């Protein structure tokens, strides 16, 4: 049976378990960063928000987003 190069190209199409684990870990890390960052932003006093150029309504809008949304 001759060597088939198509088999080699498609063989690498399946993600490795380590890559999948890394991607899941990265996604969970991103979600945690989103949650903590929004929580910290919401706890800032108005004078700090003014220094950052952010209004309280913008903070409330950001804080109301689910943690999985960027």
């Amino acid at each position: 049976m001759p060597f088939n190069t198509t088999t080699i190209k498609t063989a690498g199409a399946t993600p490795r378990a380590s890559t999948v684990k890394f991607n899941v870990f990265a996604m969970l890390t991103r979600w945690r960063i989103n949650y903590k960052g929004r929580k910290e932003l919401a706890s800032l006093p108005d004078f700090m928000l003014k220094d950052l150029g952010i209004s309280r309504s913008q903070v409330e809008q950001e804080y109301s987003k689910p943690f999985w949304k960027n």
Side-chain angles (χ1 to χ4, degrees):
M1 183 164 156
F3 186 70
N4 188 347
T5 57
T6 308
T7 306
I8 294 173
K9 290 178 184 174
T10 58
T14 306
R16 301 174 100 183
S18 61
T19 303
V20 172
K21 287 178 187 177
F22 177 80
N23 288 339
V24 169
F25 179 76
M27 179 182 63
L28 294 173
T29 301
R30 168 53 47 199
W31 286 356
R32 183 177 171 149
I33 290 169
N34 287 349
Y35 172 76
K36 290 184 86 175
R38 289 176 180 146
K39 189 174 178 181
E40 284 183 37
L41 186 64
S43 71
L44 291 176
D46 288 335
F47 76 91
M48 286 186 157
L49 294 177
K50 185 177 179 183
D51 285 347
L52 295 171
I54 303 172
S55 70
R56 179 60 61 187
S57 63
Q58 288 173 310
V59 170
E60 290 171 3
Q61 182 180 9
E62 185 66 26
Y63 187 70
S64 67
K65 288 182 184 177
F67 61 87
W68 60 87
K69 297 275 185 166
N70 283 335

